[in-house]
């Protein structure tokens, strides 16, 4: 069995990140022991993916506390630096969730914060493992063809989490059960999280895949080449509306037109009951340069302006199932995801 990919580690008072901007060509790590370098790493997507950002938020509080001790900050400055970690990216609720979960431990000292961050990591990996089993069971009950062909968008594997993966975790689970024929990996423009990272994880685990351009996904689905699609989430609103990587909603629309399941998978930490619907989700706008150039080389006429929302919102009405470690909700009028947000089912 392949080793697990480790995106985040806590070592020698620093967060050590597998630098995802360099994959798949180079496997190198980056250690962040101050808030500036951590915020920069989060914004540049050295580390990315909602559950991974939850762990980074939690360890980030420890980084800020240690820097505070070294540099003798006043309490106000420490609070502001913790907020800077919390606000480094707006859409994935897990980043703020991770910071908020360890904040009450600050009064007990940095070791207590680190211990709570370790608990978040362990819980996230266990949640991903569980939601993958639950999601795989749901898919096998709702798709007739065997083996299965699946479309996925962005990267939702171990690189995007603390271990195993969410949507990709379901694919791994199905592959381990011998049920996967082929994964259509959407390349995921503009930063190629699918082509660079999901393809890397498929290779790592020996899962058969092809990389397709984002523009091919709807056609693949309408031509009957896929049995279902599964994506992760950056924030799931109370009514089931889901923010995820830009391009996700196009996959959902195609699945609805083709009559195949479109599944959203995430740990309960990604469910945000305080957000009633997708309209209230803050969508990160990134530099237009990510669309008009690649690796610093322009791909458009000089002066062309890029439009670069990093995420979109798929309305719950286009989602067949939302899966967390607590179970499955099939969205519909008046349905909320409360029951899978934490504890009950
Ligand atoms: O901009 P990114 O790479 O952080 O976007 C990540 C995604 O959209 C993922 O699908 C989502 O965070 C779920 S990761 C399990």
């Amino acid at each position: 069995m392949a080793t697990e990919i480790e995106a985040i580690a806590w070592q020698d008072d620093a967060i050590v990140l597998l630098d995802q901007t360099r994959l798949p060509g180079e496997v190198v790590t980056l250690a962040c022991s101050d808030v500036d370098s951590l915020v920069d790493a989060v914004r540049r997507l050295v580390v990315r993916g909602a559950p991974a950002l939850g762990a980074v938020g939690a360890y980030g509080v420890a980084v800020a506390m240690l820097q505070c001790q070294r540099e003798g900050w006043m309490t106000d400055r420490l609070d502001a630096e913790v907020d800077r970690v919390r606000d480094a990216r707006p859409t994935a609720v897990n980043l703020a969730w991770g910071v908020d979960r360890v904040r009450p431990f600050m009064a007990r000292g940095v070791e207590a914060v680190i211990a709570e961050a370790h608990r978040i990591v362990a819980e996230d990996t266990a949640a991903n493992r569980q939601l993958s089993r639950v999601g795989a069971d749901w898919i096998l009950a709702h798709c007739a063809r065997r083996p299965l062909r699946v479309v996925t968008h962005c990267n939702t594997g171990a690189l995007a989490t603390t271990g195993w993966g969410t949507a990709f975790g379901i694919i791994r689970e199905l592959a381990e059960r011998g049920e996967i024929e082929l994964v259509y990996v959407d390349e995921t423009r503009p930063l190629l999280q699918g082509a660079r990272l999901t393809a890397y994880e498929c290779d790592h685990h020996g899962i058969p895949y092809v990389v397709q351009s984002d523009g091919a996904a709807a056609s693949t689905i309408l031509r009957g080449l896929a049995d279902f699609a599964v994506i992760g989430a950056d924030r799931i609103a109370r009514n089931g509306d889901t923010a995820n990587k830009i391009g996700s909603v196009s996959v959902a629309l195609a699945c609805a037109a083709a009559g195949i399941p479109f599944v959203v998978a995430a740990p309960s930490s990604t469910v945000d009951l305080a957000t009633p619907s997708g309209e209230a989700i803050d969508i990160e706008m990134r530099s237009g340069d990510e669309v008009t150039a690649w690796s610093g080389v322009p791909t458009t006429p000089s002066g062309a302006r890029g439009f670069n929302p990093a995420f979109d919102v798929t309305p719950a009405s286009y989602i067949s199932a939302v899966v967390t470690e607590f179970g499955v909700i099939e969205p519909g009028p008046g349905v909320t995801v409360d029951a899978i947000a934490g504890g009950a089912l």
Side-chain angles (χ1 to χ4, degrees):
M1 193 179 289
T3 51
E4 277 297 307
I5 296 167
E6 194 177 51
I8 303 162
W10 178 260
Q11 276 166 24
D12 302 327
D13 290 349
I15 305 182
V16 180
L17 303 169
L18 181 56
D19 187 343
Q20 299 186 34
T21 66
R22 312 272 285 270
L23 287 171
E26 293 171 274
V27 181
V28 291
T29 56
L30 178 74
C32 299
S33 56
D34 60 68
V35 172
D36 277 353
S37 67
L38 184 61
V39 168
D40 179 62
V42 168
R43 292 203 173 129
R44 287 193 302 110
L45 311 197
V46 170
V47 62
R48 27 70 48 205
L53 292 175
V56 162
Y59 287 123
V61 174
V63 165
M65 289 173 78
L66 289 164
Q67 189 177 2
C68 171
Q69 284 169 15
R70 285 196 306 272
E71 298 180 9
W73 297 342
M74 308 295 278
T75 311
D76 285 1
R77 167 97 192 259
L78 175 59
D79 285 341
E81 297 289 335
V82 168
D83 283 341
R84 217 150 62 80
V85 173
R86 190 180 188 278
D87 299 337
R89 292 186 77 191
T91 306
V93 68
N94 301 62
L95 180 60
W97 172 89
V99 169
D100 293 346
R101 178 149 150 191
V102 302
R103 234 178 179 145
F105 292 81
M106 289 174 73
R108 295 195 224 159
V110 71
E111 289 307 324
V113 169
I114 294 168
E116 187 63 7
H118 289 335
R119 273 192 288 277
I120 286 176
V121 168
E123 286 172 19
D124 180 66
T125 306
N128 296 339
R129 198 67 197 81
Q130 174 64 8
L131 74 85
S132 296
R133 286 187 281 262
V134 171
D137 290 344
W138 189 92
I139 285 157
L140 291 171
H142 288 80
C143 297
R145 190 182 184 278
R146 299 286 184 277
L148 293 157
R149 303 149 313 162
V150 52
V151 171
T152 194
H153 195 77
C154 198
N155 171 261
T156 59
L159 288 168
T161 65
T162 63
W164 187 261
T166 59
F168 191 72
I170 293 178
I171 293 171
R172 283 180 71 179
E173 174 70 24
L174 288 166
E176 285 198 355
R177 297 187 196 180
E179 305 284 11
I180 291 289
E181 178 177 317
L182 187 63
V183 184
Y184 289 93
V185 174
D186 286 358
E187 65 174 349
T188 315
R189 284 286 295 153
L191 296 178
L192 304 186
Q193 287 93 328
R196 294 187 303 106
L197 307 177
T198 302
Y200 178 81
E201 294 205 47
C202 283
D203 272 340
H204 189 80
H205 295 290
I207 297 174
Y209 72 97
V210 287
V211 177
Q212 64 181 355
S213 62
D214 293 356
S219 168
T220 297
I221 291 164
L222 291 173
R223 287 172 64 199
L225 299 178
D227 304 298
F228 71 103
V230 62
I231 64 159
D234 285 85
R235 191 181 296 243
I236 301 171
R238 186 157 186 238
N239 71 344
D241 291 353
T242 294
N244 192 56
K245 177 53 54 193
I246 190 76
S248 300
V249 70
S250 317
V251 178
L253 291 169
C255 287
I260 64 168
F262 178 82
V263 177
V264 170
S268 59
S269 54
T270 304
V271 178
D272 180 15
L273 295 180
T275 297
S277 70
E279 280 167 23
I281 299 176
D282 186 1
I283 298 294
E284 176 184 3
M285 289 300 296
R286 294 184 62 83
S287 165
D289 296 352
E290 291 178 347
V291 178
T292 58
W294 180 251
S295 280
V297 179
T299 54
T300 54
S302 74
R305 290 184 300 140
F307 174 65
N308 191 16
F311 301 97
D312 58 29
V313 175
T314 299
S317 54
Y318 292 109
I319 298 172
S320 313
V322 179
V323 183
T324 77
E325 72 275 25
F326 295 117
V328 181
I329 295 280
E330 296 176 14
V335 174
T336 69
V337 294
D338 290 54
I340 56 168
L345 239 222

